Amino acid sequence: MARKGEASAPPYGEPRKFDPKFRGPIHNRHCTDIICCVIFIVVILGYIALGIVAWVHGDPRKVIYPTDSYGQFCGQKDTFNENKTILFYFNILKCASPVVLINLQCPTTQLCVSKCPDRFATYIDVQASYRYKPDQWNYFKQFCKPGFNNPRKSVAQVLRDEDCPSMIIPSRPFLKRCFPDFSTKNGVLTVANQTTFRDGRGKTRNVTDLREAANGINNVLDARSVGMKIFEDYAISWYWILIGLFIAMIVSLLFLVLLRFTAGVLFWIFIFGVIGIIGYGIWHCYWEYGHLKGIPGSDLTVYDIGFQTDFRVYLQLRQTWLAFMIILCVVEVIIILMLIFLRNRIRIAIALLKEGSRAIGYIMSTLFYPIVTFILIAICISYWAVTAVFLATSGEPVYKVMANQTLCKYANLTCDPETFNTTNVTKLCPGAQCTFAFYGGESLYHKYIFIFQLANAFVFLWLVNFAIALGQCTLAGAFASYYWASRKPADIPLWPLFSSFGRAIRYHTGSLAFGALILAIVQLIRVILEYLDHKLKGTQNSFTRFLLCCLKCCFWCLEKFLKFINRNAYIMIAIYGKNFCTSAKEAFFLLMRNVVRVAVLDKVTDFLLFLGKILVAGGVGVLAFFFFTQRIPIFAQEAPALNYYWVPLLTVIIGSYLVAHGFFSVYAMCVDTLFLCFCEDLERNDGSTAKPYFMSASLHRILGKKELSPKKAVG
């Protein structure tokens, strides 16, 4: 510190000049980062326009109802396909994966049928025997184009014109589409007990070719079965899940209210409560491990039984409980060691948390602001999802002329199947057909659908980060009003949260959008890197994978750093009303000048709040575990009979953690704001009568500064 009454020259950045009349967040402000604000508004308007265009061109019914190559929905009433609800692919070998099939991008003729084929058959065999086995032809022709009934037509012409499929294979409907009916017999993949089949083009193929064409179908089918059971569990337990989440909300609110008076006691309860819950978990795992001793099959390993969709199977293994016990023991030891070595810093952090509890006690409305952020983010997610679906279903069937390219100049040109027979193409190119080519389009809109999807994702990230930034700036302004009040609570402005929200929207939309833009760019790059890593997993290029891993790690660190800088920049914006870059620079240098205090308070406070979230989620989770496993005698008859009790249990635990996180995030923002204000207070003032501190007397003592002057001791 400099001489009494003088501000010290900071070691990081230029010496700062302070306004001697400063008494809290500036009210006479001006708009900041106007250019970014204008760009942000224009982007939002463009985003709305993109949604409208996608809504005009897209048809989300394609996600639910399959369409044939003529763009007609299967099973649609008052149409030719009314009784044909299933989609059949002429040549499923052309389909690369289930994702391609579900997205209607398989480059083969698609036909609506009333049922999937139940046998192997080729067009060559059926044509050769249609005279003395008419039943085979009558069965096969239902998978040909509507109206085709000319078995005398040559095989080459039929396959060229795609009048009929070259083969049919036993299939079963899934998502209203015909997929090969795979089964495993003695570890060998089969279709109708066959391992090979003829493709109708003179080749004998292996069933594994079908598996590659419909990669992962069996897993998807198993997932569907599991999904149906999970849906049933949710259907009969949803109200109990809501009760569990309501209990988590009440407990979180109760903790935050009690922190107003007993912050130190409650946080030590958090700490020892988490230790106790983990200790109980260790004892329970040990009991289960000993209880399974001698039971047949319990000594098998997870590797022996492989992957099972019923997870209760794993709970019958001693190895599972041993692994759980070891993990919990490691976590318990780590927490205890951290408490031993950080005990003094924990006391300091608890002191700041007490100050935060006073601020929240005076501004209780801040506890409910996360609901506003949740609504804004929910709107962003909903709009993004709807727009993405409409964009994905904007493709239309594209038809091209199929003819001998050397004799017909119209070959491979687009055509309209309804008017094709009236054109001169059939005369100039005998035998030419207007056949389905692919789903998509050749207009400017269809060519850039991928770019539009990328833009949709980017604006979504930008809007979500803006909603979070708005919440942080609003809460920071409200808590800064508390800190810089000379007499608390008399000098706290009326409706501080609403006033702070109004200032953030009116003056600092551009600054908040600027910070959100930087973060959204980094997050989009991370998404692209994850996509590239997924695509390159099968490659053997070790250097490429290593480079991608390094890039992912670097951008992950950059994102965390930007979130930290943005958070503190928003606090400075809420206090002083400066632009984003200036606020970020001043916040960064201020933190660097107090780096020791940052290391002491930031992570320790986050750790304590994290323990509070774990205690809420763990306590409600233990209660839910005993309830859903019918171990509470009073409620044993009320507990629903479930396929998987872990479904509602995990939902309650994760939901409780998110509920607690919503309330505790307000507390974390409060502590960060008060800490930054405290650092500003130390640089602005020296505790003299002319420049008294604004911090409370208790906080001043615990943080190791001399006593406040009696005239200014507040709190």
Side-chain angles (χ1 to χ4, degrees), residues 589-655:
F589 287 137
L590 180 61
L591 293 172
M592 288 299 99
R593 292 192 293 272
N594 297 272
V595 65
V596 176
R597 294 190 184 100
V598 173
V600 170
L601 296 175
D602 186 55
K603 294 305 176 184
V604 174
T605 302
D606 289 344
F607 176 67
L608 290 177
L609 292 176
F610 175 73
L611 290 184
K613 300 172 194 175
I614 293 297
L615 181 60
V616 173
V620 177
V622 169
L623 180 64
F625 171 77
F626 282 112
F627 174 77
F628 287 118
T629 54
Q630 301 179 351
R631 300 189 183 186
I632 302 179
I634 301 177
F635 298 101
Q637 301 297 325
E638 300 292 335
L642 303 169
N643 297 301
Y644 310 117
Y645 73 85
W646 52 265
V647 170
L649 177 61
L650 287 180
T651 304
V652 169
I653 293 174
I654 296 174

Side-chain angles (χ1 to χ4, degrees), residues 529 543-556:
L529 289 175
F543 175 76
T544 303
R545 286 181 293 172
F546 172 76
L547 181 62
L548 272 176
C549 184
C550 292
L551 288 174
K552 287 166 57 178
C553 180
C554 291
F555 278 96
W556 179 85

Side-chain angles (χ1 to χ4, degrees), residues 578-593:
K578 298 180 180 180
N579 61 47
F580 176 81
C581 292
T582 302
S583 300
K585 182 186 71 173
E586 291 184 356
F588 178 75
F589 287 137
L590 180 61
L591 293 172
M592 288 299 99
R593 292 192 293 272

